[in-house]
Amino acid sequence: MTHYQTIVPSHITRTLTTHTLHLKTWLAVSLFTLTALLGGIGGTVAARWLTPAAPASTPPPPAADRPAATETLPVTGLSPVVKATLPAVVNISTTKATRGQLDPGMGLPFFPDIFGPLPQQRPANSLGSGVVVSPDGYLLTNHHVVDGASDIKVTFADGRSLKAKLVGTDPKTDIAVLKVDEKNLPAIPLGDSNQLEVGDFVLAIGNPFDLGQTVTFGIVSALGRGNLGIETYEDFIQTDAAINPGNSGGALVNLQGKLVGINTAIIARGAQGNQGIGFAVPVSMARMVMEQLISKGRVVRGYLGVTLQDLNEALAKQFGVTGNRGVVITDVTADSPASRAGLQPGDVILEFNGQPVRDLRTLRLTVAQTPPGTTVQLRILRNKTPRDISAKLDELPEDQPLGALPGGGEDDRPNAPAGSALPGVTVGELSPAVRSRLNLKSGVIVRGVQPGSPAAEAGLQRDDIILQVNQQPVSSVAAFDAAVRQSQGEVLLRIFRGGANLFLVVPRDRN
C-alpha cells in the first residue's frame, strides 16, 4: 500500500506562521462580529418572509391520524446494531491433514536416499466465519468452511479462542453446526427470513481476507435465488452488502439486530472479491437444518419420488396449462409415494397442499422440508383435466447414481436409416443390449440431428432415446414415424438422456 503526504520545508512554514499571526487574528475577530450582525438581521427577515403563519388554535394531529412511521436509518448510524451483534460473530480457523511428500533424508545430512519419497501429512489451514446462536455455545457456519477439518478453533471479538466440536454438517444446504464448551455467550437472536422484502437494509458481518471482524452494509437485492449450481437446495438471499473470501459462515442481520441469513457465496467473474452480488442461506432453512443436526445428527427430508421439469411456453401449451405455474412429471420412481398415489409421467403438478407451484426448485424445497410420513394434497392436470391426488411422503433415500449414457463402449447401433418423419432427425432401432442395460421397455435412438433444424433448436441431441411421441410409447422406427405423421403442427417428445427423462416440443414445420 502506498501512502501519500504533502511535504513543506520547515523554515518556510515557521516564517509564514510568524508574519501572519496578527493579521489572521484581526481578520477572525472582524468576520465573527460581521457574521453575528448579519445573522441576526437575516434570521429575523427570513423568519418573517419564509415561514407561513400557522393558526394558533390548531392543535397537533392525534396519534391515530398521523402517518405510520417507516423504518429509517438511525441518525447516529448503525453502531447500535453493530454493538449488539458483533460480539456473536466469530472467526473460524481449521486445520486439515493433506498428503504431501516427506524428504527421505529427514532433513539430516548424509542420510542415504534408499527408500524414495515417503508420504507425509501436512497441515493445511483455512479461515472463515461463524455465528453464535445460543448462549450455551451452538454456532452456525458453512459446511465448506469446516469440511474435512481435523481441528476447529473459534476466536471471539474479545480475543478469546476456544476449540469447537463439529455437531454435524449438511452439504446439500452448505450449513454446519459447531459447539463450544462455554456458557453465557453473546448470541444473535434468529429472525424470520420469510418476512424479508427486496430493498430491506441488511448488514454482513464476518472475517474477510483474515482481516478480523468487518461490517458491511447494503440491501436485499433479490429473494429466492436458485439454479446457481452452488448447492442441492438453493433459496438464497441476494445482497449487495460486500461479501468477500472469509465472510463464509458469517452473519447477515437486519436493522433489528436479528439473524436473517448465513453468508455463503459470491459471484466474482474472475475477480478476487466482492462485486455487489453475494448470497446467504435464509435463516429459516439454516434453523431447520440446525435443529435436526442437533436432535438427530442428520437431516431428514421428505420424498415424493418424481423427476420434474419446468414448463416453458411450448410445453405449457401442449399440456393445457394456463398461467405461469406448474411443473411436469417426467418420470415416477417405482415403489415410491408418487407411484403408490398413481402419479404418472406427463402429469402437471399445479398445487402442493393448496399452494400454487411456481417452478421445480420451489417444489423440491417444499417437499424436502415436509416431514416424512406427512400426507400431502396435490392438484394435478392430466390430459388437460384437473384432479386431486393424495400422497404420503417417505424419507428421502441416499442419492442414486444416474444411468450411463447409451452407447458406452461397444457399438450396439445397427445401420442408421436415411431419416425419419420428423424433419432434420434420424432415428434408429434401440438394440436389445442397450434396452436391457438401461432397463427400457420401448424407445428409438436418435442417430443424428441436422444443425439449424427445428429439432436442434428445440434441444434434441444425438444419442437421445425417444420414449414417447405425444405421450404414446414408441417401440420401433415405424411406430415413431406413424406417431409423428399424426401430429398437428408440433410434436411432444418424452426422451431419455443421461439417466433422466424430459419433455421437448419440436415443430414439424417452421411455418
Side-chain angles (χ1 to χ4, degrees), residues 6 10 44 53 68 87 132 155 207 228 296 374 457 478:
T6 302
S10 58
T44 303
V132 181
T155 303
N207 177 33
L228 302 175
K296 303 175 183 177
T374 303
E457 294 177 356

Side-chain angles (χ1 to χ4, degrees), residues 289-500:
V289 171
M290 177 181 66
E291 291 174 348
Q292 294 201 48
L293 288 176
I294 293 175
S295 63
K296 303 175 183 177
R298 63 191 182 95
V299 180
V300 176
R301 294 182 167 92
Y303 171 67
L304 184 59
V306 293
T307 304
L308 302 170
Q309 181 180 351
D310 282 321
L311 294 175
N312 56 27
E313 184 178 350
L315 286 173
K317 178 182 176 182
Q318 285 289 323
F319 290 110
V321 179
T322 58
N324 185 24
R325 61 172 183 160
V327 294
V328 60
I329 297 175
T330 62
D331 200 9
V332 176
T333 304
D335 195 28
S336 66
S339 65
R340 292 192 290 270
L343 290 172
Q344 302 174 7
D347 289 345
V348 178
I349 302 178
L350 302 175
E351 295 179 5
F352 182 92
N353 278 343
Q355 298 300 314
V357 173
R358 293 183 303 167
D359 53 33
L360 182 157
R361 182 186 61 85
T362 54
L363 180 59
R364 289 180 70 244
L365 280 171
T366 304
V367 171
Q369 294 174 0
T370 305
T374 303
T375 298
V376 298
Q377 305 299 320
L378 303 174
R379 180 79 167 174
I380 70 167
L381 201 64
R382 179 179 296 170
N383 298 325
K384 302 183 180 181
T385 302
R387 63 173 65 189
D388 296 315
I389 289 182
S390 299
K392 186 176 181 180
L393 300 183
D394 286 346
E395 180 181 339
L396 180 67
E398 293 297 323
D399 293 337
Q400 299 295 321
L402 293 178
L405 285 169
E410 75 281 9
D411 190 357
D412 296 316
R413 311 175 190 180
N415 294 329
S420 73
L422 191 60
V425 178
T426 300
V427 299
E429 302 289 352
L430 195 61
S431 72
V434 171
R435 186 173 297 178
S436 175
R437 185 165 70 242
L438 300 178
N439 194 27
L440 299 175
K441 297 180 180 179
S442 62
V444 295
I445 190 167
V446 177
R447 300 295 190 207
V449 181
Q450 181 180 345
S453 66
E457 294 177 356
L460 192 65
Q461 300 176 10
R462 178 186 173 89
D463 285 337
D464 284 346
I465 297 176
I466 300 174
L467 303 175
Q468 295 179 349
V469 175
N470 295 329
Q471 297 186 266
Q472 298 300 316
V474 291
S475 56
S476 65
V477 172
F480 171 81
D481 287 342
V484 170
R485 291 190 183 98
Q486 293 176 1
S487 302
Q488 300 294 324
E490 294 178 329
V491 182
L492 176 64
L493 303 179
R494 180 169 174 246
I495 68 171
F496 179 89
R497 177 189 297 165

Side-chain angles (χ1 to χ4, degrees), residues 133-401:
V133 293
S134 71
D136 59 345
Y138 282 102
L139 296 90
L140 281 171
T141 186
N142 284 143
H143 162 78
H144 75 261
V145 170
V146 297
D147 184 26
S150 57
D151 183 68
I152 304 172
K153 184 175 71 173
V154 172
T155 303
F156 290 81
D158 59 8
R160 286 180 298 166
S161 291
L162 298 173
K163 187 173 182 178
K165 178 182 71 174
L166 180 63
V167 176
T169 70
D170 181 41
K172 293 181 179 179
T173 56
D174 199 20
I175 291 295
V177 179
L178 306 178
K179 179 71 167 64
V180 295
D181 292 330
E182 191 73 17
K183 303 295 183 183
N184 302 317
L185 291 173
I188 297 182
L190 302 185
D192 185 359
S193 53
N194 295 322
Q195 298 300 316
L196 282 177
E197 296 184 2
V198 174
D200 285 351
F201 293 120
V202 286
L203 299 174
I205 309 176
N207 177 33
F209 297 110
D210 195 26
L211 292 172
Q213 288 190 319
T214 301
V215 182
T216 55
F217 174 66
I219 64 169
V220 174
S221 304
L223 295 168
R225 285 294 195 218
N227 301 320
L228 302 175
I230 302 173
E231 311 302 340
T232 304
Y233 296 100
E234 298 180 342
D235 192 28
F236 291 120
I237 302 166
Q238 182 181 325
T239 179
D240 67 346
I243 296 175
N244 290 287
N247 271 114
S248 291
L252 190 72
V253 301
N254 60 19
L255 292 193
Q256 288 74 48
K258 294 184 178 181
L259 185 70
V260 293
I262 300 296
N263 300 324
T264 297
I266 60 175
I267 290 181
R269 293 288 188 257
Q272 296 300 312
N274 171 68
Q275 289 193 345
I277 301 179
F279 300 100
V281 177
V283 74
S284 59
M285 179 183 290
R287 183 205 298 262
M288 182 271 294
V289 171
M290 177 181 66
E291 291 174 348
Q292 294 201 48
L293 288 176
I294 293 175
S295 63
K296 303 175 183 177
R298 63 191 182 95
V299 180
V300 176
R301 294 182 167 92
Y303 171 67
L304 184 59
V306 293
T307 304
L308 302 170
Q309 181 180 351
D310 282 321
L311 294 175
N312 56 27
E313 184 178 350
L315 286 173
K317 178 182 176 182
Q318 285 289 323
F319 290 110
V321 179
T322 58
N324 185 24
R325 61 172 183 160
V327 294
V328 60
I329 297 175
T330 62
D331 200 9
V332 176
T333 304
D335 195 28
S336 66
S339 65
R340 292 192 290 270
L343 290 172
Q344 302 174 7
D347 289 345
V348 178
I349 302 178
L350 302 175
E351 295 179 5
F352 182 92
N353 278 343
Q355 298 300 314
V357 173
R358 293 183 303 167
D359 53 33
L360 182 157
R361 182 186 61 85
T362 54
L363 180 59
R364 289 180 70 244
L365 280 171
T366 304
V367 171
Q369 294 174 0
T370 305
T374 303
T375 298
V376 298
Q377 305 299 320
L378 303 174
R379 180 79 167 174
I380 70 167
L381 201 64
R382 179 179 296 170
N383 298 325
K384 302 183 180 181
T385 302
R387 63 173 65 189
D388 296 315
I389 289 182
S390 299
K392 186 176 181 180
L393 300 183
D394 286 346
E395 180 181 339
L396 180 67
E398 293 297 323
D399 293 337
Q400 299 295 321

Side-chain angles (χ1 to χ4, degrees), residues 65-151:
D65 297 334
R66 295 175 190 169
T70 58
E71 182 182 67
T72 58
L73 293 178
V75 175
T76 57
L78 301 171
S79 57
V81 181
V82 174
K83 288 178 181 178
T85 55
L86 198 64
V89 181
V90 302
N91 297 345
I92 294 178
S93 60
T94 65
T95 302
K96 303 178 183 180
T98 61
R99 300 286 293 183
Q101 295 295 327
L102 183 66
D103 180 7
M106 309 291 183
L108 300 174
F110 309 114
F111 194 93
D113 185 6
I114 59 176
F115 300 108
L118 302 176
Q120 178 188 17
Q121 294 293 329
R122 293 180 178 176
N125 299 319
S126 64
L127 297 166
S129 306
V131 187
V132 181
V133 293
S134 71
D136 59 345
Y138 282 102
L139 296 90
L140 281 171
T141 186
N142 284 143
H143 162 78
H144 75 261
V145 170
V146 297
D147 184 26
S150 57
D151 183 68

